[in-house]
Amino acid sequence: MSEFENTNSTEAYSADTITVLKGLEAVRMRPAMYIGDIGVRGLHHLVNEVVDNSIDEALAGYCTKVDVEILSDGGLSVTDNGRGIPVDMHKEENKPGVEVAMTILHAGGKFDKENYKVSGGLHGVGVSCVNALSKLMITEVFRDGKHYRIEFEKGITIKPLSIIGDTEYRGTKQTFYPDPEIFETVVFNWETIAHRLRVLAFLNKGLMITLKDHRETSKKEDGTLPEFQFQYHGGLREFVKYIDENKKSVCEPILIEKTVDDYPMEIALSWNDTYRENIESYVNNIHTIEGGTHEEGFKSALTRAINKYALDSKIFKNDKMKLTGSDVREGLTAVISIKVMEPQFEGQTKTKLGNGEITGIIQSLVYEKLLEWMFENPRISKIILDKCTEALRAREAAHKAKDLIRRKSAFEGGSMPSKLYDCSKGTDPMECELFIVEGDSAGGSAVDGRDIKTQAVLPLRGKILNVEKARLDKMLANEEIKNLINAIGTGIGESDIDLPSNGNGQTVDSSAFSQNGDGFVLEKLRYGKIIIMTDADVDGAHISTLMLTFFFRYMPELIKRGHIYLAMPPLYKVSKGKISHYIFPGNEEEKNRLVAELGGEDGKGVQVQRYKGLGEMNPEQLKETTLDQEKRFIKRINIEDAVEADRIFTMLMGEDVPPRKDFIIEKCHFAQNIDA
Ligand code: 0RA
């Protein structure tokens, strides 16, 4: 039991040690119970947990700067200039406070509840979990002129707390090395960390957060290492501007900020020239993806306030005219951030706020402040109201158009579009695949090369409508889009259905898609995999982006659940005997290297086959590279982060910016390789 040699406990099996070991063992036995999973997500949970501890120190008002460094040796460090974790002896545990915090489960704020009013941390598991799941963790404290250090291995103290020098600095530095025995991957992702830090900087205005990547592999072309500073003195206002950076805004973001009944609340909102709503909400810095009572209160206040203003300012002549929730939220971008001392998180991913008392509190605040703002800003308010009224008309028009599609398919016995080459019936839809193919000739090869039992082909002619610029009614009138929607079978819309009114004469919120229950229905999905197949050229990239935008906006559930794929056919096949290697676009040098390697000096017996674009592949080649489930190359589209995806899509598809084709191809880190 050499692990105990260096601890300051004289008895290896003291009661304290046993409790600690039991806690650590539980975490290491079932890591997913504590951090969600043991993949990349779980790995980054560790980062969040450590960062959140420093953010808490900032929330308490003692810390102004947090530095995150991805180290070149597999570790990650987080340094803050807070008070430093206490180093004095903890009476009950007979250990320094810092050791207690690092080794005892849930010890996070135990010894100083006052200072941990609203603690973040997704599961509140505490930094001891990170410690338990790290092969090495070093905690350094800078306090009262001294530099302290303590070291752990898999959560067990291997070097007790000691003073290693003097310092003028004040704060805490945590360095940890995730244990590869626990995690499937221990490679940190710059984008994931950067995004989280950026959001934290928006949510905690003024706080300076830096990120540095010291890994050799991360070096940029000019030889420098990636480095970024996040600091936003404008807080949520700047957050809204950031989300809408590539859109035309109707006004500067409106800010509502107040602490009511001990709940600090901050809301920023604005409208832009798109037709979608984008509400992001946070509770104690945690992204509440599934919404909850704070979002409900906000939405209901928004609808009520705008209707009230329309009547009081005589813009609406009588109360027959009423805007619904979806009318007032068309083109709305809003960020809500509140702090709740005892949050109840519900829902599938535990990211839905359940505290009932919040609805009314946020509703009153937003109603009052928004009305006040509108009366003070009549010119902009008129523009917003006009926008809402236009949404109302479009919604009615869309309803008619959609009715038409629905009735038509009912008359035709729900028949499929004539352009669809469907697979034969009687197979489990989840086993089936739909190939959306650019151009008729590639479509022909796909039809000939497919497995007719499970693979369907829908050829698209030319460019599809840019859904980013079209409203629902226009979109639903488009032939290609109609075919696509009918072939997929789910219908369109957002998966969350708005709540009906509470009978106080409030408007019933019902989005244009989800009313009457005719929105998106996952159970009606006709194919388990939907595979977009376009040429690897500029036009092809544009078409796949259009397609992805369509799915992202109107069938986001299919992306979230991993049903959407991109075909990624290789450019070359290099083979010798039975060994074959495939080379993908952009890796042409690799081909020459392989030929030299396999063929030796005379290059004997090496075959190089160059595949043409999809349009020119014959059915056999198409089968080998894209259709055959055993051999083909496809990528699953995986949009982790809706904010970034939204910005990217708006930028790619917006009116102001010419389509950035190189960017489209580069940004394929959305996509994750699937071993075919
Ligand atoms: C409890 C009490 C005190 C500081 C902290 C916790 C603290 C924890 C972390 C974790 C990361 N950085 C941190 N900084 C501070 C201080 C109590 C006092 O000095 O009076």
PDB file of all heavy atoms in Angstrom, residues 16 88-97 100:
ATOM      1  N   ASP A  16     -10.928   8.461   8.821  1.00  0.00           N
ATOM      2  CA  ASP A  16     -10.933   9.470   7.757  1.00  0.00           C
ATOM      3  C   ASP A  16     -10.535   8.858   6.433  1.00  0.00           C
ATOM      4  O   ASP A  16     -11.167   9.056   5.404  1.00  0.00           O
ATOM      5  CB  ASP A  16      -9.902  10.576   8.030  1.00  0.00           C
ATOM      6  CG  ASP A  16     -10.196  11.299   9.316  1.00  0.00           C
ATOM      7  OD1 ASP A  16     -11.268  11.036   9.877  1.00  0.00           O
ATOM      8  OD2 ASP A  16      -9.339  12.093   9.725  1.00  0.00           O
ATOM      9  N   ASP A  88      -5.469  26.308   6.400  1.00  0.00           N
ATOM     10  CA  ASP A  88      -5.408  26.011   7.836  1.00  0.00           C
ATOM     11  C   ASP A  88      -6.071  24.670   8.144  1.00  0.00           C
ATOM     12  O   ASP A  88      -6.839  24.148   7.342  1.00  0.00           O
ATOM     13  CB  ASP A  88      -6.025  27.145   8.656  1.00  0.00           C
ATOM     14  CG  ASP A  88      -7.402  27.515   8.142  1.00  0.00           C
ATOM     15  OD1 ASP A  88      -7.666  27.259   6.941  1.00  0.00           O
ATOM     16  OD2 ASP A  88      -8.229  28.035   8.910  1.00  0.00           O
ATOM     17  N   MET A  89      -5.756  24.143   9.337  1.00  0.00           N
ATOM     18  CA  MET A  89      -6.231  22.808   9.690  1.00  0.00           C
ATOM     19  C   MET A  89      -7.747  22.776   9.851  1.00  0.00           C
ATOM     20  O   MET A  89      -8.338  23.631  10.514  1.00  0.00           O
ATOM     21  CB  MET A  89      -5.576  22.352  11.003  1.00  0.00           C
ATOM     22  CG  MET A  89      -4.202  21.779  10.790  1.00  0.00           C
ATOM     23  SD  MET A  89      -4.206  20.558   9.487  1.00  0.00           S
ATOM     24  CE  MET A  89      -3.187  19.326  10.193  1.00  0.00           C
ATOM     25  N   HIS A  90      -8.333  21.798   9.253  1.00  0.00           N
ATOM     26  CA  HIS A  90      -9.759  21.549   9.402  1.00  0.00           C
ATOM     27  C   HIS A  90      -9.919  20.727  10.669  1.00  0.00           C
ATOM     28  O   HIS A  90      -9.314  19.664  10.808  1.00  0.00           O
ATOM     29  CB  HIS A  90     -10.246  20.768   8.172  1.00  0.00           C
ATOM     30  CG  HIS A  90     -11.724  20.625   8.104  1.00  0.00           C
ATOM     31  ND1 HIS A  90     -12.389  19.691   8.826  1.00  0.00           N
ATOM     32  CD2 HIS A  90     -12.651  21.292   7.368  1.00  0.00           C
ATOM     33  CE1 HIS A  90     -13.686  19.786   8.552  1.00  0.00           C
ATOM     34  NE2 HIS A  90     -13.868  20.748   7.670  1.00  0.00           N
ATOM     35  N   LYS A  91     -10.721  21.236  11.604  1.00  0.00           N
ATOM     36  CA  LYS A  91     -10.745  20.614  12.937  1.00  0.00           C
ATOM     37  C   LYS A  91     -11.217  19.166  12.907  1.00  0.00           C
ATOM     38  O   LYS A  91     -10.527  18.274  13.392  1.00  0.00           O
ATOM     39  CB  LYS A  91     -11.619  21.435  13.877  1.00  0.00           C
ATOM     40  CG  LYS A  91     -10.928  22.734  14.303  1.00  0.00           C
ATOM     41  CD  LYS A  91     -11.730  23.461  15.367  1.00  0.00           C
ATOM     42  CE  LYS A  91     -11.451  24.960  15.346  1.00  0.00           C
ATOM     43  NZ  LYS A  91     -12.153  25.655  14.230  1.00  0.00           N
ATOM     44  N   GLU A  92     -12.386  18.927  12.311  1.00  0.00           N
ATOM     45  CA  GLU A  92     -12.931  17.560  12.347  1.00  0.00           C
ATOM     46  C   GLU A  92     -12.053  16.567  11.601  1.00  0.00           C
ATOM     47  O   GLU A  92     -11.798  15.460  12.049  1.00  0.00           O
ATOM     48  CB  GLU A  92     -14.329  17.525  11.742  1.00  0.00           C
ATOM     49  CG  GLU A  92     -15.387  18.150  12.643  1.00  0.00           C
ATOM     50  CD  GLU A  92     -16.554  18.686  11.830  1.00  0.00           C
ATOM     51  OE1 GLU A  92     -17.062  17.939  10.962  1.00  0.00           O
ATOM     52  OE2 GLU A  92     -16.934  19.851  12.045  1.00  0.00           O
ATOM     53  N   GLU A  93     -11.592  16.978  10.436  1.00  0.00           N
ATOM     54  CA  GLU A  93     -10.862  16.026   9.599  1.00  0.00           C
ATOM     55  C   GLU A  93      -9.377  15.951   9.964  1.00  0.00           C
ATOM     56  O   GLU A  93      -8.673  15.050   9.513  1.00  0.00           O
ATOM     57  CB  GLU A  93     -10.988  16.412   8.117  1.00  0.00           C
ATOM     58  CG  GLU A  93     -12.417  16.549   7.618  1.00  0.00           C
ATOM     59  CD  GLU A  93     -13.120  15.204   7.465  1.00  0.00           C
ATOM     60  OE1 GLU A  93     -12.431  14.163   7.469  1.00  0.00           O
ATOM     61  OE2 GLU A  93     -14.361  15.205   7.363  1.00  0.00           O
ATOM     62  N   ASN A  94      -8.929  16.934  10.721  1.00  0.00           N
ATOM     63  CA  ASN A  94      -7.515  16.984  11.084  1.00  0.00           C
ATOM     64  C   ASN A  94      -6.582  17.011   9.863  1.00  0.00           C
ATOM     65  O   ASN A  94      -5.565  16.321   9.805  1.00  0.00           O
ATOM     66  CB  ASN A  94      -7.168  15.805  12.007  1.00  0.00           C
ATOM     67  CG  ASN A  94      -5.833  16.041  12.712  1.00  0.00           C
ATOM     68  OD1 ASN A  94      -5.475  17.188  13.001  1.00  0.00           O
ATOM     69  ND2 ASN A  94      -5.084  14.974  12.940  1.00  0.00           N
ATOM     70  N   LYS A  95      -7.011  17.761   8.877  1.00  0.00           N
ATOM     71  CA  LYS A  95      -6.224  17.906   7.650  1.00  0.00           C
ATOM     72  C   LYS A  95      -6.344  19.357   7.213  1.00  0.00           C
ATOM     73  O   LYS A  95      -7.318  20.025   7.572  1.00  0.00           O
ATOM     74  CB  LYS A  95      -6.837  17.058   6.531  1.00  0.00           C
ATOM     75  CG  LYS A  95      -6.542  15.585   6.617  1.00  0.00           C
ATOM     76  CD  LYS A  95      -7.292  14.888   5.506  1.00  0.00           C
ATOM     77  CE  LYS A  95      -7.156  13.381   5.649  1.00  0.00           C
ATOM     78  NZ  LYS A  95      -8.092  12.680   4.800  1.00  0.00           N
ATOM     79  N   PRO A  96      -5.420  19.836   6.392  1.00  0.00           N
ATOM     80  CA  PRO A  96      -5.582  21.199   5.884  1.00  0.00           C
ATOM     81  C   PRO A  96      -6.871  21.304   5.059  1.00  0.00           C
ATOM     82  O   PRO A  96      -7.247  20.338   4.375  1.00  0.00           O
ATOM     83  CB  PRO A  96      -4.366  21.403   4.987  1.00  0.00           C
ATOM     84  CG  PRO A  96      -3.417  20.293   5.303  1.00  0.00           C
ATOM     85  CD  PRO A  96      -4.224  19.175   5.861  1.00  0.00           C
ATOM     86  N   GLY A  97      -7.530  22.463   5.134  1.00  0.00           N
ATOM     87  CA  GLY A  97      -8.779  22.676   4.404  1.00  0.00           C
ATOM     88  C   GLY A  97      -8.678  22.271   2.944  1.00  0.00           C
ATOM     89  O   GLY A  97      -9.577  21.630   2.400  1.00  0.00           O
ATOM     90  N   VAL A 100      -8.985  18.622   2.438  1.00  0.00           N
ATOM     91  CA  VAL A 100     -10.376  18.192   2.628  1.00  0.00           C
ATOM     92  C   VAL A 100     -11.173  18.471   1.356  1.00  0.00           C
ATOM     93  O   VAL A 100     -11.888  17.614   0.839  1.00  0.00           O
ATOM     94  CB  VAL A 100     -11.007  18.928   3.841  1.00  0.00           C
ATOM     95  CG1 VAL A 100     -12.487  18.591   3.959  1.00  0.00           C
ATOM     96  CG2 VAL A 100     -10.271  18.563   5.116  1.00  0.00           C
TER      97      VAL A 100
END
